[in-house]
């Protein structure tokens, strides 16, 4: 972690990592339930990871999709300012399946990304399961530079590789009655020690309306920095919806379901007063416990103003025309 001289207006780290506070409370409760109230006082009161002590993962076979990278850059998706260096990015992540620390890259090596199948279910013409490499063959990969803004008030700029979610929707063939696309992470506590505790309701679930999913900006990510996606970033398949807070961008997806009802999503279910279904970035709507007006640019000393829809208003504001504003930003 970089050591910075923090200006007086910067959000103290303890306030900008709300999940830790919340999760520790949850972990205490879960720990109490599992172990008996007598052990409560010994529960850890800090973020935890599995970097040391976890059995070392067996080395992986070479990634069969490696030859697909680097993919051609799509010049329509640019950013101003530099890309966050890969080393910085892969040492500052949220992947609670591997701990609530930001430094879970080592622990995430337990994630096995092959074989990997993605199931299409719910309101589809034909439910089916597809191997990730067959799915990749059916898509054309491209690179896009995206801004990435976490609800914890930090930001990065990332060169993602993948394909538009719209292409995946065409591939899945949902019925006309489908109103939402729901994406689920794997559930396997043997492969993800975090899932052995009730810090979140597993598996991690997120969802978009069909209009959001088929917007040009919604991107299914399979790689970053010109290579297959690092495990800690949610290999082999994750979402990137850059106009929303990062918790919407679910990692390591194994199932995509279509429904006609708004799904119960992980963070909204855990703390509905703090995290909602929409989660569109807006500097004027504070989180109940901290401001969203500015963001720390990870890997730099900068704290910059946050922009509505994270700067993507031109592409997405019309999706929410006529909807009650207050509900859209939580
Ligand atoms: N997906 C899963 N399965 N588990 C997680 O813990 N964290 C979310 C999101 N997707 C998370 C997840 C949060 S809070 C953020 S900010 C982003 O992933 C972080 O993505 P990054 O680590 O690539 O920056």
């Amino acid at each position: 972690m970089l050591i910075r001289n923090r200006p007086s207006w910067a959000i103290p780290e303890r306030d900008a990592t709300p999940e830790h506070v919340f999760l520790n409370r949850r972990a205490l409760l879960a720990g109490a339930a599992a172990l008996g109230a007598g052990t409560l006082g010994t529960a850890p009161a800090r973020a935890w990871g599995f970097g040391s002590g976890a059995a070392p993962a067996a080395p992986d076979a070479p990634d069969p999709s490696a030859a697909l990278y680097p993919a051609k850059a799509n010049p329509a998706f640019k950013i101003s300012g530099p890309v966050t260096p890969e080393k910085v990015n892969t040492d500052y992540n949220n992947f609670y399946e591997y701990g609530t620390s930001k430094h879970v890259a080592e622990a995430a090596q337990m994630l096995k990304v092959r074989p990997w199948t993605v199931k299409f279910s719910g309101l589809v013409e034909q439910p089916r399961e597809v191997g990730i490499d067959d799915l990749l063959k059916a898509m054309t990969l491209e690179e896009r530079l995206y801004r990435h803004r976490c609800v914890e008030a930090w930001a990065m700029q990332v060169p993602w590789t993948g394909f538009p979610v719209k292409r995946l929707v065409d591939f899945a063939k949902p019925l006309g009655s489908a109103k939402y696309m729901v994406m689920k992470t794997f559930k396997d506590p043997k492969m993800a020690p975090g899932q052995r505790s009730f810090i979140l309701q597993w598996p991690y679930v997120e969802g978009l309306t069909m209009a959001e999913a088929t917007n040009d900006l919604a991107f299914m990510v399979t790689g970053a920095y010109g290579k297959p996606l690092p495990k800690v970033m949610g290999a082999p398949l994750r979402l990137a919806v850059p106009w929303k807070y990062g918790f919407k961008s679910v990692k390591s997806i194994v199932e995509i379901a279509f429904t006609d009802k708004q799904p119960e999503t992980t963070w909204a279910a855990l703390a509905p007063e703090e995290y909602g279904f929409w989660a569109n970035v807006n500097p004027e709507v504070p989180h109940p416990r901290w401001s969203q007006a500015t963001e720390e640019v990870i890997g730099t000393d900068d704290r910059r103003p946050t922009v509505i829809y994270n700067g993507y208003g031109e592409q997405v504001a019309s999706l929410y025309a006529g909807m009650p504003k207050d509900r859209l930003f939580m």
Side-chain angles (χ1 to χ4, degrees):
M1 176 101 163
L2 287 171
I3 298 169
R4 292 176 301 273
N5 289 327
R6 229 171 247 284
S8 58
W9 40 263
I11 298 177
E13 186 140 13
R14 64 179 179 278
D15 294 342
T17 50
E19 282 76 8
H20 299 173
V21 177
F22 197 87
L23 292 173
N24 283 326
R25 213 170 24 182
R26 287 271 161 177
L28 282 168
L29 293 173
L35 303 169
T39 58
L40 242 184
T42 61
R46 60 182 176 80
W48 44 269
F50 300 96
S52 52
D60 290 322
D63 189 307
S65 69
L68 300 174
Y69 302 87
K72 201 164 169 231
N74 183 336
F77 299 93
K78 293 185 294 230
I79 48 169
S80 59
V83 156
T84 304
E86 181 180 356
K87 265 202 158 149
V88 172
N89 190 333
T90 52
D91 193 35
Y92 197 91
N93 302 93
N94 279 335
F95 203 175
Y96 292 125
E97 283 81 348
Y98 294 97
T100 61
S101 152
K102 292 280 181 281
H103 313 292
V104 288
E106 188 191 333
Q109 294 313 307
M110 288 177 81
L111 173 61
K112 286 269 157 246
V113 297
R114 294 293 187 288
W116 192 276
T117 52
V118 182
K119 192 168 153 186
F120 295 93
S121 62
L123 300 173
V124 287
E125 281 178 19
Q126 182 73 55
R128 61 178 162 153
E129 217 165 305
V130 183
I132 185 73
D133 294 300
D134 290 330
L135 184 64
L136 285 169
K137 267 185 222 147
M139 304 291 154
T140 305
L141 299 188
E142 62 183 61
E143 183 179 84
R144 297 181 176 191
L145 302 180
Y146 272 3
R147 293 157 64 95
H148 175 43
R149 168 60 155 86
C150 179
V151 73
E152 296 167 338
W154 55 260
M156 295 198 198
Q157 319 228 89
V158 192
W160 298 119
T161 306
F163 50 87
V165 177
K166 186 176 184 319
R167 287 281 299 112
L168 194 75
V169 171
D170 294 343
F171 182 87
K173 298 196 172 62
L175 300 177
S177 51
K179 293 196 174 78
Y180 297 90
M181 176 173 158
V182 188
M183 289 147 280
K184 295 182 194 166
T185 298
F186 69 89
K187 185 174 175 188
D188 181 353
K190 282 202 195 94
M191 189 165 76
Q195 293 182 337
R196 292 175 207 157
S197 313
F198 179 72
I199 46 169
L200 293 177
Q201 195 172 302
W202 309 112
Y204 197 106
V205 176
E206 260 308 334
L208 299 172
T209 64
M210 293 307 291
E212 290 176 327
T214 54
N215 182 276
D216 266 359
L217 260 187
F219 202 47
M220 270 294 160
V221 172
T222 61
Y225 297 93
K227 290 175 286 193
L229 198 59
K231 292 180 180 183
V232 74
M233 291 169 82
L237 187 70
R238 73 168 284 171
L239 181 68
V241 278
W243 71 97
K244 291 181 179 286
Y245 292 118
F247 69 86
K248 294 292 293 183
S249 289
V250 46
K251 296 181 169 185
S252 303
I253 297 167
V254 292
E255 184 172 353
I256 296 178
F258 295 87
T259 75
D260 55 4
K261 287 183 194 62
Q262 187 171 301
E264 187 174 81
T265 52
T266 297
W267 282 100
L270 187 69
E273 67 291 352
E274 306 206 345
Y275 311 98
F277 178 79
W278 298 104
N280 292 319
V281 174
N282 186 341
E284 285 171 19
V285 178
H287 181 278
R289 287 183 281 129
W290 63 91
S291 164
Q292 295 290 19
T294 63
E295 59 206 32
E296 175 183 2
V297 186
I298 301 300
T300 75
D301 290 331
D302 290 354
R303 190 157 198 108
R304 68 186 178 196
T306 288
V307 192
I308 187 146
Y309 296 114
N310 198 22
Y312 296 103
E314 209 176 294
Q315 291 94 324
V316 299
S318 64
L319 292 172
Y320 311 103
M323 291 175 70
K325 278 217 166 354
D326 52 341
R327 286 177 50 228
L328 295 175
F329 303 106
M330 267 256 315

